[in-house]
Amino acid sequence: MGNQFFQKEKRNMGKYHFNEIEAKWQKFWAENQTFKAENQSKKPKYYVLDMFPYPSGAGLHVGHPLGYIASDIYARYKRHQGFNVLHPQGYDSFGLPAEQYAIQTGQHPAKTTEENIARYREQLDKIGFSFDWSREVRTSNPEYYKWTQWIFLQLFESWYDKNADKARSIEELRGIFSSEGNVHINAVADEGVEHFTASDWLGFSEIKKQEILLKYRLTYLAETEVNWCPQLGTVLANDEIVNGVSERGGYPVVRKKMKQWSMRITAYAQRLLDGLDTIDWPQPLKDSQTNWIGRSKGATVEFKIQNSEFKIPVFTTRPDTIFGVSFMVLAPEHDLVSKITTSEQKEAVENYIEATAKRSERERMADVKSITGVFTGAYAEHPFTKEPLPIWIGDYVLAGYGTGAVMSVPCGDQRDYDFAKHFNLPIPNIFSPLVPEGGINENENLIETEAFSEKTGFVLKNSDFLNGLNYSEATEKIIAALEEKGVGKGKINYRLRDAVFSRQRYWGEPFPIYYKDGMPHAIPTECLPLRLPEVEKYLPTEEGEPPLGRATKWHWDENKNEVVSVPEGEKPPSGVWGLELNTMPGWAGSSWYFFRYMEDEKRDEVFASKEALDYWKNVDLYIGGSEHATGHLLYSRFWVKFMHDRGLVPVDEPFKKLINQGMILGESAFVYRMNSKITISEIPDVKKFAQMGDEWARETRKLIVKTIQLKNDKILIPLQFFKFDEFKKWKRSKGFSEDEIKKLTEKDLEKERINSFKHLIPKEDIHYFDLNNFSISYSAQAIHTNVSFVNSSNELDINSFKNESSEFKDAEVIGINGKYIVGREVEKMSKSKYNVVNPDDICEQYGADTLRMYEMFLGPLEQAKPWNTAGITGVQGFLKKLWKLYHSASPALSEGGELEFYVSEDSASKDSLKVLHKTIKKVQEDIENFSFNTSVSSFMIAVNELTAQNCNSREVLKPLTILISPYTPHIAEELWEKLGHNESISTAPFPKFEEKFLVESSKEYPISFNGKMRFTLELPLGISKEEIESAVMAHEKTAQYLEGRKPKKVIIVPGKIVNIVG
RNA sequence: GCUCGAGUGGCGGAAUUGGUAGACGCGCUGGAUUCAAAAUCCAGUUCUUUCGGGAGUGUGGGUUCGAUUCCCACCUCGAGUACCA
């Protein structure tokens, strides 16, 4: 016995021990700082970045590292190509989940965040990433958020000059105000800023000046209608709301007016749009930003209100249809509503406003079809015809878009049409359809049943000076007319709103702002960071203030320039003012973090030094999920453009190339629980029931004979007894013929099922279980079970299932032949679905190299795909084969020989070199196209072929090691060392592809007949078309396929194909 | 509804500018080795067939000597968006 054991151990010496190898190299890389990037280098730079992870308490599952593995392969590849690669990692560590957890447990979010990060790091380290950890950042770190606050203050001290089309400093704006007032200024600012002259400005009080400046600042304080989420106790940005409920938690969201910090991102709408043309991003991502920004071209038109000083400005994309206007509609929230409503209509209008305000955003969205509205009693005047137009209010008009009012053209807009139909308003027609022959059909009515909203196929009629014109001609003419009359002008409108920047939360960056006489003032930048204060509870105060309202030390002393405490109830001494109580949103810290990684030494002095910024410029490759399309990816672009304007960074786009990785889905496992209460009924008379109609439900209840409680109340039936399809499959596997399968009915399934739980039926009731005399009904439901209890053949490990899930300790698991087969379904990976696969476990069992390669092998990077642990053995088998290629046993393994590293110095065979170069070419192309799945296949092919060729030549194996090292770095390092190198493989030059090894002298031609390949024929490559043709025609099989016919045509593409037609 | 993306064996997926459909891997079947298992190795595996073939890349049509690839129409699934005037 002992001897046998020894033998086995001895035999294992040269085996592929991935756990040891991987631990060894991970340690080596950490100790030698192998992947530390240099800020001064002769090498060209390359910056590879993963989207900022939020360190959640659940840790990583196998879906998370997918993008990291892809970017790591690319980073390693670039190092082999001679680049100085920056490949950093860090944590977006402020955020809601840690705070929610803090509210529940009282634990400081900093503590849980710290723990979560430690766990993340541990998991990441096991996968062997080539991160430069010396540059790690955490957004919740004061040394980091110091600079987030600093950038906020830069925004606070800036305004947007439309003439220069860039942001400029507030100091310059003050200068302009002092010299010429604001009359000539062309700035992005709040609506309705009063006009003043230079002398006015100089006469204003400081408070008044601040009030005016606030209307120009790029981050400003304003009373805005926000999305308030009562359950989360905070406001949410538009992109944080999904289907009318909060993205995190799914809580309802209501609209509420609050004083909030906002970011004037709208100033950048056009540049954000234009910038998309300069970056290499996936088209769907660009499309969703384009839609989000929502540029539309049209005109503003002012409508005078009759017998009133007021005017209604509207925005329209179809100014050409102005002669089709038959009424006006205002949003219920519109300021003018209360001012113009007539006394007769007052009550109706007020009732309507009250009713619509109650409806939540979600209801309003769900219920888009019902048409509601009410007449205000007032009339507007058509700017050209002077006709009176009744003014209505209706909630299909949104307060937040355009001017919150529309000119209704029922013949040209479906919503206006529906509104007009519903309230019996006139629908004048202004369209004459064009007929295909080039004429105009005056008689046909385009708008009998619906609005005509096309921009082509018509000319205008009943439109005064626009008659006979098409869309573009009319649009041009009407805008000119509007401008001449001074009642409107051409305008571009954006859907994009300014971004709300305040959150009523604790775990975020404090604003470096205090309030002096009600006006916000910046704390001096040299006093940053303004640290997050301690609070005893993470909830809002009783007065409804944000959690920072609980901080006892949260006032700013202007004289001492420090945070001081003011005892509760006391008036602050002079020069001491309250600090801002809101904190910044999650996207603050993530909008600039990519610049922080560039800096390594001067992080205390600057957010990033000029040298670092000039060297690294922007991110060359950014990999992450598409869910950030309208959040992080838009805000980052905005901040970068702003920072560029103010000369803080040299680039105006953060991410040159971006790739979206697809989600890895989980395969959930289900067990099927049968209700233990079984209802026995008489068999119904089918004919009688068919005649009964609605009464049948009541009648069936009368048929119930008895309800039987089985002996166990937790009964699991197998998949085969849950779904009829599976039942049939099972029968088929038991050797039933197709005919027999066809004859199977639900009744057969029921019989088997009843049989399977017969032992649980109380003895006295057993006679009821006869399908010939009774109808038996019960229910069963699918329940998620932990995938770790299930093996690759979908069998449930019944013992661990019972032991580890307390709910089913005493369950009766009904198997078939002692096996219980679970149901499977592909779903998102999540804790609640018990389908999470942990990368640590995979690394432990199969190794990190196998995990890395398998994740790539699953399919194209951008595509969503299900995870199936069973398939991983193929990749592991491959790595074992690869290992064996560098080892040999003498005597042969079967004769008790042991594996030893062996590489021959002899020159390689022609075939082996061909395999090598074919692989170099393919892998290089694949990496450059981010087609990692296909290069895994080519590695497998290469190793299969080299093994078949018994290749052990260094000439081939050395370059092969480098080739594969981006994918499986640990095994590559180990083999590299065994090949006799002392340095890490990570910067070894990538093998060079040489065409000469692939040159072929002959080609196996596929010979097709009418496009169908029939046989192949090997022919030399050098020969002419004629020679090919005669060789093919002379072939015996050709005659056979032609069956005596004469070919009509022979297509020959040398080096490709021969096709015979006839 | 609109915008975008995708439909190929039992499964994940390959297929250069239109040129041998199903590479590679999983699973399955059979075999070798083993007391046995694991591991390993070998062979087979789109469907159908009267073993000559025939059909086949969501469906229907078109262009072509030749279409998974290009064009038109439709169906299904997925993602985003949602009264945007």
Side-chain angles (χ1 to χ4, degrees), chain A residues 916-930:
Chain A
L916 174 69
H917 282 270
K918 185 176 80 180
T919 311
I920 296 173
K921 183 168 191 260
K922 176 82 175 126
V923 170
Q924 181 155 5
E925 280 170 6
D926 285 347
I927 295 181
E928 276 160 17
N929 295 320
F930 302 92

Side-chain angles (χ1 to χ4, degrees), chain A residues 181-241:
Chain A
N182 72 347
V183 189
H184 303 296
I185 223 131
N186 186 12
V188 180
D190 288 3
E191 294 274 309
V193 185
E194 61 182 303
H195 282 217
F196 53 82
T197 63
S199 58
D200 290 343
W201 173 256
L202 295 170
F204 289 155
S205 71
E206 186 55 27
I207 295 181
K208 172 96 184 176
K209 283 181 181 167
Q210 285 299 336
E211 202 180 305
I212 290 166
L213 288 174
L214 195 55
K215 295 182 181 190
Y216 288 86
R217 296 182 190 273
L218 281 182
T219 180
Y220 61 100
L221 202 53
E223 185 87 4
T224 37
E225 188 137 294
V226 295
N227 307 299
W228 173 255
C229 179
Q231 272 85 345
L232 291 174
T234 190
V235 302
L236 299 170
N238 287 335
D239 62 278
E240 290 169 319
I241 300 165

